């Protein structure tokens, strides 16, 4: 009997990549190897690490539009009924808004309890250039795409979802004649999923590069300056993730939250390293369907919708930042002020996509609404990239949690998959081409060639 060494799972490899990224990044930062103009900074951190990380994020982003489009198309076609579609839509919308509202309330309570920022007088480290968040009227109008090709080219999620749903509904209505087109969409969806697997295999190296660069650039110094803000923020994020979300999960689905947490690890690391729920959509979708057992008819709809409108982690950052800045500037917000903050950030999260740094844009909108000085954002800017990584991981966990709950409530959750710890694990074999298939494909191509 040959004693083959056991292959490490992708999750383990990604975690190793992450840890080594932290170690190497810290090493560069603390030893001063990464000073401006040095070899390490120019060629390794801003060179190799930057390029590898950026290429990986590009590869993930490349998959988002075709994947969302085709899987949503298949999803709508397999749901088949407009009424069911409407019910799933309403349920997910309401649950997404409720969890976001709970998230920010928890954040405000926690930050107020610890009175962070009181008696502190910090100078702004970096400059914040204010960008305005889209007004609600524009958000509503832009849900309907004027040009679907432009929508796809821009990667605008809400109009893309609308266009895919209308196309799917029309395919159902056309009926038998559209059967081939539906089948084609199913094949395209499978091909896109395979691409996700291929891209995911590069993750351990890319995650290493992304994290090493962030840590090398940021170091620990900034963290200690804003220690209270960072500590309360991270505590609120963890409390929401493991407390509130898991409680809601247990109450609404009756499933074991520990299984959920274990199966979400890889997706969270992806969101953490890319700081983007949008770029993580392919991985979230794969996890929710293949690892957690939700049917694609539900997940193809709830996951991209969640990545766009559901941002619990971001809402938490806004709650903590609001209390922090209000305390620093000695502004008394009062109950009405805090209610406005809750309402504004829930609304703001609907119109902004899950891309890096968008939380700050939304924060400026919240600040101007409640009369806090927008330049206050400069105070938390230094640590925001790191916090963005953590909150993005919480954001995608919320999307996956609600997706699983909705699938369960619709009877579209495969419990055997959910409870199987190895279900849907990505491994190298998945992308290995079968030699026989390879020969068959080559023969078919040859035959077609000969005929013409
Ligand atoms: N980066 C976050 C996300 O993609 C959004 C944010 O808070 O900036 O989920």
């Amino acid at each position: 009997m040959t004693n083959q060494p056991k292959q490490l799972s992708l999750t383990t490899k990604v975690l190793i990549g992450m840890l080594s990224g932290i170690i190497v990044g810290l090493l560069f930062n603390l030893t001063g190897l990464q000073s401006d103009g040095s070899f390490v900074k120019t060629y390794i951190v801003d060179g190799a690490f930057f390029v590898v990380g950026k290429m990986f994020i590009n590869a993930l982003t490349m998959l988002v539009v075709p994947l969302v489009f085709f899987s949503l198309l298949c999803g709508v076609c397999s749901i088949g009924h407009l009424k069911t579609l409407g019910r799933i839509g309403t349920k997910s919308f309401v649950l997404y808004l409720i969890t976001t509202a709970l998230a920010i309330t928890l954040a405000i309570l926690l930050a107020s309890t610890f009175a962070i920022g009181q008696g502190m007088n910090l100078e702004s480290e970096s400059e914040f250039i204010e960008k305005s968040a889209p007004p609600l009227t524009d958000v509503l109008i832009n849900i309907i795409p004027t040009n679907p090709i432009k929508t796809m080219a821009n990667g605008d999620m809400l109009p893309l979802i609308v266009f895919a749903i209308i196309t799917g509904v029309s395919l159902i209505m056309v009926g038998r004649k559209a059967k081939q087109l539906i089948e084609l969409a199913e094949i395209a969806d499978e091909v896109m999923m395979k691409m996700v697997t291929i891209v995911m295999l590069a993750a351990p190296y890319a995650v290493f590069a992304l994290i090493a660069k962030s840590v090398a650039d940021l170091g620990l110094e900034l963290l200690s300056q804003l220690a209270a803000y960072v500590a309360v923020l991270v505590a609120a994020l963890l409390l929401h993730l493991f407390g509130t979300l898991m409680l809601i999960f247990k109450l609404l689905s009756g499933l074991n939250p520990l299984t959920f947490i274990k199966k979400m690890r890889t997706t969270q690391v992806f969101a953490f390293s890319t700081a983007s729920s949008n770029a993580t959509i392919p991985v979230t979708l794969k996890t929710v369907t293949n690892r957690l057992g939700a049917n694609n008819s539900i997940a193809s709809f709830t996951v991209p919708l969640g990545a766009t409108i559901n941002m619990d982690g971001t809402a938490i950052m806004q709650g903590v930042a609001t209390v922090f800045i209000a305390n620093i500037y000695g502004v008394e917000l009062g109950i009405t002020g805090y209610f406005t903050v809750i309402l504004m950030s829930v609304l703001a999260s609907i119109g902004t996509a899950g891309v890096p740094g968008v939380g700050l844009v939304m924060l400026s909108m919240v600040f101007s609404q409640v009369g806090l000085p927008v330049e206050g954002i400069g105070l938390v800017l230094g640590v925001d990239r790191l916090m963005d990584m953590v909150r993005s991981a919480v954001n995608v966990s919320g999307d996956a949690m609600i997706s699983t709950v909705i699938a369960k409530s619709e009877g579209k959750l495969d419990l055997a998959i959910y409870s199987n710890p190895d279900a849907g694990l990505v491994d190298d074999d998945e992308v290995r081409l079968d030699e026989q298939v390879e020969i068959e494909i080559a023969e078919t191509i040859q035959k077609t060639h000969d005929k013409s």
Side-chain angles (χ1 to χ4, degrees):
M1 214 174 78
T2 49
N3 232 350
Q4 278 218 338
K6 198 174 172 293
Q7 272 239 341
L8 290 179
S9 72
L10 182 74
T11 310
T12 318
K13 285 190 207 161
V14 170
L15 285 176
I16 294 176
M18 188 173 148
L19 285 181
S20 8
I22 294 177
I23 295 171
V24 171
L26 275 182
L27 206 75
F28 285 172
N29 186 284
L30 297 179
T31 52
L33 274 174
Q34 119 107 359
S35 54
D36 275 340
S38 68
F39 177 84
V40 168
K41 177 142 180 75
T42 318
Y43 295 101
I44 302 185
V45 177
D46 289 348
F49 290 175
F50 175 70
V51 172
V52 171
K54 207 69 189 150
M55 281 170 78
F56 179 67
I57 295 183
N58 279 3
L60 278 173
T61 315
M62 156 186 94
L63 304 176
V64 173
V65 170
L67 178 68
V68 167
F69 182 69
F70 286 120
S71 73
L72 198 50
L73 211 58
C74 299
V76 173
C77 290
S78 58
I79 290 180
H81 289 289
L82 284 186
K83 233 168 93 192
T84 320
L85 199 65
R87 192 177 62 229
I88 296 169
T90 317
K91 253 199 253 180
S92 37
F93 191 74
V94 171
L95 282 176
Y96 279 146
L97 294 196
I98 291 180
T99 46
T100 308
L102 283 177
I104 186 161
T105 312
L106 171 82
I108 291 177
L109 286 178
L110 211 64
S112 309
T113 311
F114 288 99
I116 49 165
Q118 248 168 33
M120 187 171 164
N121 220 342
L122 216 107
E123 280 304 310
S124 177
E125 279 263 333
S126 348
E127 253 178 70
F128 178 69
I129 301 155
E130 190 187 347
K131 282 190 241 132
S132 53
L136 195 62
T137 42
D138 281 4
V139 172
L140 289 176
I141 293 169
N142 292 335
I143 286 180
I144 309 293
T146 45
N147 177 348
I149 306 291
K150 199 162 104 196
T151 296
M152 289 187 189
N154 292 343
D156 296 334
M157 216 38 74
L158 287 180
L160 177 68
I161 292 176
V162 168
F163 182 65
I165 292 179
I166 297 180
T167 315
V169 169
S170 311
L171 283 178
I172 302 172
M173 287 175 158
V174 170
R176 204 145 13 114
K177 252 199 260 170
K179 197 169 156 256
Q180 273 180 321
L181 215 51
I182 297 177
E183 276 167 9
L184 205 66
E186 270 159 14
I187 299 171
D189 183 36
E190 207 178 315
V191 171
M192 290 314 303
M193 274 296 184
K194 194 55 88 184
M195 278 194 212
V196 179
T197 312
I198 297 174
V199 172
M200 277 173 83
L201 291 179
Y205 315 100
V207 165
F208 166 79
L210 284 166
I211 304 245
K213 173 157 170 47
S214 296
V215 177
D217 283 346
L218 294 173
L220 294 176
E221 213 179 310
L222 268 171
L223 283 187
S224 56
Q225 271 188 27
L226 291 169
Y229 170 73
V230 171
V232 171
L233 179 48
V234 172
L237 286 169
L238 295 180
L239 206 62
H240 183 71
L241 175 61
F242 294 111
T244 321
L245 286 185
M246 288 309 98
L247 196 69
I248 297 176
F249 182 66
K250 180 80 197 160
L251 286 178
L252 296 184
S253 73
L255 297 166
N256 183 353
L258 280 180
T259 315
F260 177 88
I261 289 172
K262 269 190 213 139
K263 292 193 170 193
M264 276 304 289
R265 221 169 18 200
T266 314
T267 316
Q268 286 164 343
V269 175
F270 268 76
F272 183 81
S273 3
T274 58
S276 165
S277 329
N278 260 36
T280 314
I281 289 177
V283 186
T284 318
L285 196 55
K286 206 173 169 70
T287 305
V288 172
T289 50
N290 296 8
R291 302 260 303 125
L292 296 168
N295 194 288
N296 183 54
S297 60
I298 308 286
S300 65
F301 178 65
T302 53
V303 169
L305 184 71
T308 318
I309 70 165
N310 182 46
M311 294 183 192
D312 296 359
T314 307
I316 288 175
M317 177 278 281
Q318 291 172 344
V320 177
T322 308
V323 175
F324 183 61
I325 304 292
N327 281 346
I328 285 183
Y329 286 94
V331 179
E332 195 54 65
L333 284 177
I335 295 288
T336 348
Y338 284 122
F339 268 118
T340 317
V341 173
I342 295 174
L343 194 70
M344 286 312 294
S345 47
V346 173
L347 288 179
S349 74
I350 299 178
T352 29
V355 290
V358 71
L360 280 190
V361 176
M362 287 153 63
L363 190 61
S364 69
M365 180 174 140
V366 173
F367 274 19
S368 41
Q369 242 344 281
V370 290
L372 278 177
V374 174
E375 67 269 19
I377 292 179
L379 299 178
V380 293
L381 199 59
V383 285
D384 196 67
R385 170 70 197 178
L386 199 62
M387 294 301 104
D388 196 4
M389 293 159 84
V390 188
R391 68 180 182 251
S392 300
V394 176
N395 288 348
V396 298
S397 308
D399 304 342
M401 188 279 274
I402 299 288
S403 301
T404 315
V405 163
I406 293 179
K408 174 84 187 349
S409 74
E410 292 287 325
K412 299 262 186 199
L413 189 87
D414 189 331
L415 290 175
I417 295 186
Y418 186 83
S419 45
N420 175 3
D422 294 330
L425 276 178
V426 172
D427 63 41
D428 303 328
D429 288 341
E430 244 194 280
V431 288
R432 217 160 271 152
L433 205 56
D434 185 332
E435 230 172 273
Q436 192 51 40
V437 177
E438 218 173 326
I439 294 169
E440 274 170 32
I441 294 176
E443 280 174 1
T444 320
I445 295 176
Q446 193 58 46
K447 267 188 216 149
T448 330
H449 222 78
D450 292 346
K451 260 190 222 157
S452 58

